[in-house]
């Protein structure tokens, strides 16, 4: 019962009400007691510590809100200053024996491939909820499941270098130790291969590197913005983490010591989900910019776009900023972006010839995205396809504008996003290096989903359940999340079932 409530995110009050209707259910008090017993047992094995985090609540105003619920936002803001921490070695000590038993890890080849990921959710416009988690790459079939990401660090505040280096110091120390000394579990010494993946911002921050908007934008090679359009140039992963350890500003654009200095740069892997999200965003904003430029972006066009979105089952709106008069539009979730990319009928808003041209570019990007995630894609083929796509993206105009025979091209090198450079020049390299896992194994959708769900549930729950005054509930949300994770480990370890074959057995005496 405790597990069912955990898995389904059912909090105390709704459960009490269920008990009032169904008298055979175990009483809420009894369930709470059992939950507490598991918490205490797990706290012995994987202690949860609270750390002071020197951080502010500040979010990049240009980013979209991930969680908008006002009440949750306020709870998260109130909780800034404290972080939660679980030791990676404790988690491994608990997990590894089970993974051996399941045949996922082999004690005769004692190497564990450990993936580290980070995610910062924008909670309202003022605060981020930052999570750093690990996953066992060897346990390949579970990498899309949020429950198989084990949180080591959790804090509300700011996703910047100073906050992260402050709160991650013990974690990074442990990672270095794992890499250099390994870890003995039940008399077997395990070695570690480490990997890091996250979205661009988190990755650049942890690398002590500048943002995606600056002149030197690539974490992996030394390309500068002005060289992006040169299709004859090859770019490969050429930076070396050791150079950055010796001298933090060895490469242009780098200024701080990389936080994961124990992970080689070709194990810092871009997230395929964000490659798709950000490039789709760019394709869409280029389309809107074109409509504006041509003077087509009026009420009629906006209505046509909204109707077309409705047709492909997407809820979409435009609104105008009161001050700047700039037009904003609904920011779409990943699945909706894929729908637009595949199905949005461009002939509704563009002349047929133009629509066909842009549709072709969108279709080919969608195909690339599917190939990028497919483990059987050959890296060499992908490289060619990606390069051809960029050539198409950069199709130049022919002839003289406003004269006969003029053929309007597509986009300029300035229109490229850093993700396009990565797609064209580095993804095929990562495919080759990490062929054993496939790029999909480094996707951040699992950890993003986890962070989102946990913030939405636990920061709402502390408000509803009260828990003895506001002050007390505030500091507890982070601990509750980590206790919840500890219990998940416990259920998996003990094979606690979620349902029983024979419904009669459900009658539990309380
Ligand atoms: Zn590069």
């Amino acid at each position: 019962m405790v597990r069912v409530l955990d898995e389904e995110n059912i909090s105390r009050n709704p459960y009490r009400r269920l008990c009032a209707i169904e008298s055979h259910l175990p009483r809420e008090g009894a369930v709470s007691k059992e939950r507490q017993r598991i918490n205490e047992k797990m706290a012995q094995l994987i202690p949860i510590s609270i750390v002071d985090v020197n951080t502010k609540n500040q979010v990049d105003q240009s980013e979209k809100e991930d969680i908008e619920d006002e009440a949750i936002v306020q709870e998260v803001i109130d909780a800034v200053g404290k972080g939660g921490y679980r030791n990676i070695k404790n988690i491994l000590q608990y997990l590894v024996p089970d993974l051996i038993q399941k045949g996922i890890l082999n004690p005769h080849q004692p190497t564990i491939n450990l993936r580290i990921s980070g995610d910062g959710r924008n909670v309202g416009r003022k605060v981020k909820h930052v999570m750093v988690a690990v996953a066992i790459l060897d346990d390949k079939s579970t990498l899309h499941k949020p429950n198989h990401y084990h949180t080591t660090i959790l804090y509300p505040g700011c996703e910047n270098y100073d906050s992260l280096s402050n709160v991650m110091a013990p974690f990074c120390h442990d990672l270095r130790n794992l890499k250099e000394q390994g870890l003995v579990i039940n008399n077997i010494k395990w070695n570690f291969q480490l990997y890091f993946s996250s979205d661009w911002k988190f990755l650049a921050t942890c690398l002590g590197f500048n943002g995606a908007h600056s002149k030197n934008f690539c974490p992996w090679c030394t390309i500068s913005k002005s060289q992006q359009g040169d299709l004859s140039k090859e770019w490969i992963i050429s930076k070396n983490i050791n150079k950055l350890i010796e001298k933090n500003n060895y490469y242009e654009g780098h200024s701080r010591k990389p936080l994961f200095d124990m992970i080689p740069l070709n194990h810092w892997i871009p997230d395929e989900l964000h490659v798709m999200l950000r490039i789709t965003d760019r394709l869409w904003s280029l389309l809107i910019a074109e409509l504006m430029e041509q003077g087509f972006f009026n009420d009629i066009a906006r209505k046509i776009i909204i109707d077309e979105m409705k047709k492909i089952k997407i809820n979409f709106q435009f609104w105008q900023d009161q001050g700047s008069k700039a037009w904003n539009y609904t920011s779409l979730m990943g699945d909706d972006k894929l729908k637009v990319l595949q199905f949005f009928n461009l002939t509704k808003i563009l002349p047929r010839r133009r629509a066909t041209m842009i549709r072709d570019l969108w279709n080919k990007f969608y195909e690339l995205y599917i190939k990028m995630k497919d483990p059987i894609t050959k890296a060499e083929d992908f490289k060619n396809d990606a390069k051809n796509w960029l050539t198409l993206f950069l199709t130049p105009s022919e002839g003289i504008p406003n004269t006969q025979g003029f053929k309007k091209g597509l986009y300029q090198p300035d229109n490229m996003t850093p993700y396009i450079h990565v797609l064209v020049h580095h993804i095929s390299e990562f495919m080759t290096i990490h062929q054993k896992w496939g790029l999909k194994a480094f996707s951040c959708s699992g950890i993003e989903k986890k962070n989102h769900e946990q913030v939405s549930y636990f920061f709402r729950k502390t408000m509803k359940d009260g828990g003895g005054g506001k002050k007390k509930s505030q500091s507890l949300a982070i601990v509750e999340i980590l206790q919840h994770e500890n219990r998940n480990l416990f259920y998996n370890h003990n094979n606690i079932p979620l349902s029983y074959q024979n419904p009669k057995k459900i009658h539990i005496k309380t």
Side-chain angles (χ1 to χ4, degrees):
M1 184 55 78
V2 183
R3 180 172 193 182
V4 171
L5 298 187
D6 269 337
E7 299 251 335
E8 298 304 321
N9 284 344
I10 301 169
S11 63
R12 277 182 194 167
N13 287 340
Y15 184 68
R16 278 195 194 116
R17 300 191 66 170
L18 277 178
C19 291
I21 307 168
E22 286 292 336
S23 59
H24 67 267
L25 288 172
R27 279 200 320 272
E28 199 280 323
V31 175
S32 280
K33 216 168 166 186
E34 179 61 13
R35 187 186 297 121
Q36 194 51 36
R37 194 185 66 80
I38 301 171
N39 284 346
E40 277 161 20
K41 191 178 151 94
M42 288 304 292
Q44 308 273 318
L45 300 164
I46 307 176
I48 295 166
S49 31
I50 307 265
V51 288
D52 286 321
V53 188
N54 187 6
T55 184
K56 300 181 293 244
N57 48 344
Q58 198 180 15
V59 171
D60 187 340
Q61 291 297 327
S62 66
E63 292 178 15
K64 70 172 178 71
E65 292 175 56
D66 296 309
I67 293 173
E68 294 169 354
D69 188 316
E70 277 298 322
I72 294 179
V73 172
Q74 197 50 51
E75 284 288 312
V76 176
I77 289 173
D78 290 343
V80 170
K82 295 277 180 215
Y85 171 64
R86 293 191 304 169
N87 186 305
I88 172 72
K89 290 182 181 172
N90 292 335
I91 297 173
L92 288 165
Q93 296 275 5
Y94 193 78
L95 269 180
V96 168
D98 287 350
L99 293 170
I100 296 171
Q101 209 181 15
K102 287 182 186 154
I104 291 160
L105 292 178
N106 178 359
H108 301 293
Q109 290 164 339
T111 296
I112 295 174
N113 292 280
L114 196 66
R115 179 188 140 185
I116 296 122
S117 298
D119 177 59
R121 296 275 92 190
N122 286 324
V123 185
R125 287 243 168 263
K126 296 196 189 91
V127 68
K128 282 227 177 202
H129 199 262
V130 180
M131 168 186 272
V132 180
V134 298
I136 310 281
L137 270 182
D138 307 81
D139 198 0
K140 224 172 160 181
S141 66
T142 63
L143 289 171
H144 61 286
K145 294 184 184 163
N147 268 351
H148 288 259
Y149 290 83
H150 309 289
T151 307
T152 59
I153 287 155
L154 204 59
Y155 71 91
C158 189
E159 178 191 336
N160 65 4
Y161 185 90
D162 290 325
S163 304
L164 281 166
S165 73
N166 160 237
V167 71
M168 290 203 308
F171 176 57
C172 292
H173 177 266
D174 284 338
L175 284 179
R176 208 165 293 126
N177 203 254
L178 287 178
K179 170 108 182 209
E180 284 163 10
Q181 328 260 329
L183 180 67
V184 177
I185 302 171
N186 298 338
N187 297 321
I188 298 163
K189 188 183 159 207
W190 293 86
N191 301 308
F192 289 83
Q193 286 282 346
L194 305 177
Y195 306 78
F196 175 74
S197 74
S198 73
D199 66 20
W200 194 290
K201 188 178 175 201
F202 205 97
L203 188 145
T205 306
C206 292
L207 194 55
F209 186 51
N210 57 23
H213 304 295
S214 28
K215 181 171 155 267
N216 300 95
F217 64 87
C218 183
W220 297 279
C221 75
T222 55
I223 190 172
S224 76
K225 277 244 148 100
S226 59
Q227 294 168 302
Q228 278 194 106
D230 186 350
L231 286 161
S232 64
K233 267 200 139 43
E234 291 278 338
W235 296 97
I236 55 164
I237 302 170
S238 59
K239 290 182 185 174
N240 184 328
I241 197 105
N242 294 322
K243 298 275 187 223
L244 287 169
I245 297 168
E246 281 165 32
K247 197 171 170 233
N248 299 164
N249 62 356
Y250 185 87
Y251 303 108
E252 267 186 75
H254 291 257
S255 54
R256 315 289 288 265
K257 180 175 167 290
L259 296 178
F260 299 112
D261 55 0
M262 70 305 281
I263 304 180
L265 257 180
N266 59 14
H267 280 217
W268 293 58
I269 298 150
D271 164 34
E272 50 86 15
L273 175 71
H274 280 85
V275 172
M276 184 280 284
L277 296 176
R278 295 293 92 86
I279 296 179
T280 307
D281 286 347
R282 181 52 56 98
L283 293 173
W284 178 257
S285 66
L286 284 167
L287 172 72
I288 300 290
E290 181 169 337
L291 293 177
M292 285 180 174
E293 229 177 77
Q294 313 260 328
F296 293 152
F297 189 71
N298 50 25
D299 285 345
I300 303 167
R302 283 188 286 274
K303 167 110 180 35
I304 294 172
I305 292 173
I306 292 166
D307 287 346
E308 177 59 20
M309 287 289 197
K310 218 177 263 166
K311 215 166 137 194
I312 56 175
K313 299 193 168 59
I314 295 172
N315 185 5
F316 188 83
Q317 292 305 327
F318 286 104
W319 67 93
Q320 199 169 19
D321 188 272
Q322 296 294 329
S324 67
K325 298 285 168 220
W327 281 94
N328 294 312
Y329 43 83
T330 315
S331 81
L332 300 176
M333 302 298 282
D335 290 343
D336 284 347
K337 283 192 177 138
L338 285 176
K339 275 195 225 162
V340 172
L341 203 53
Q342 292 175 86
F343 305 121
F344 190 91
N345 185 353
L346 292 161
T347 62
K348 295 273 172 78
I349 44 167
L350 291 172
R352 181 160 294 275
R353 216 186 80 84
R354 188 71 184 157
T356 311
M357 203 172 173
I358 295 179
R359 176 51 41 222
D360 186 40
L361 183 75
W362 287 18
N363 286 345
K364 290 199 167 115
F365 174 63
Y366 179 74
E367 284 166 26
L368 270 181
Y369 173 62
I370 298 301
K371 282 184 188 158
M372 178 166 67
K373 295 200 300 178
D374 186 347
I376 64 164
T377 302
K378 288 201 178 75
E380 200 53 37
D381 294 346
F382 186 87
K383 193 175 174 177
N384 283 328
D385 290 347
K387 214 160 193 182
N388 288 337
W389 184 79
L390 179 59
T391 310
L392 188 65
F393 181 93
L394 295 173
T395 304
S397 299
E398 285 173 35
I400 303 156
N402 303 320
T403 62
Q404 242 203 347
F406 175 68
K407 276 192 200 160
K408 191 170 160 36
L410 280 169
Y411 306 119
Q412 309 294 319
D414 279 353
N415 300 131
M416 287 173 67
T417 80
Y419 273 113
I420 293 183
H421 163 74
V422 168
L423 176 79
V424 174
H425 293 281
H426 300 311
I427 290 292
S428 62
E429 258 182 295
F430 283 115
M431 278 179 171
T432 309
I433 299 166
H434 303 294
Q435 198 182 18
K436 188 175 171 198
W437 312 110
L439 282 190
K440 212 178 155 200
F442 300 96
S443 171
C444 289
S445 60
I447 180 176
E448 289 201 347
K449 196 167 171 225
K450 184 184 186 98
N451 199 3
H452 195 93
E453 285 175 357
Q454 291 188 337
V455 173
S456 307
Y457 177 64
F458 284 94
F459 282 93
R460 191 195 303 276
K461 185 172 163 291
T462 50
M463 297 179 293
K464 279 189 186 154
D465 284 356
K470 212 163 189 289
K471 260 276 116 9
K472 192 180 165 204
S473 65
Q474 282 162 13
S475 57
L476 277 179
I478 287 167
V479 176
E480 281 197 26
I481 292 174
L482 294 176
Q483 282 175 338
H484 176 254
E485 291 209 17
N486 268 354
R487 289 196 301 277
N488 267 326
L489 287 172
F490 173 88
Y491 305 141
N492 285 328
H493 177 75
N494 294 293
N495 285 320
I496 307 284
L498 273 165
S499 63
Y500 291 90
Q501 290 284 312
N502 183 351
K504 276 176 193 159
K505 284 186 187 163
I506 228 169
H507 292 279
I508 301 164
K509 287 232 161 64
T510 60

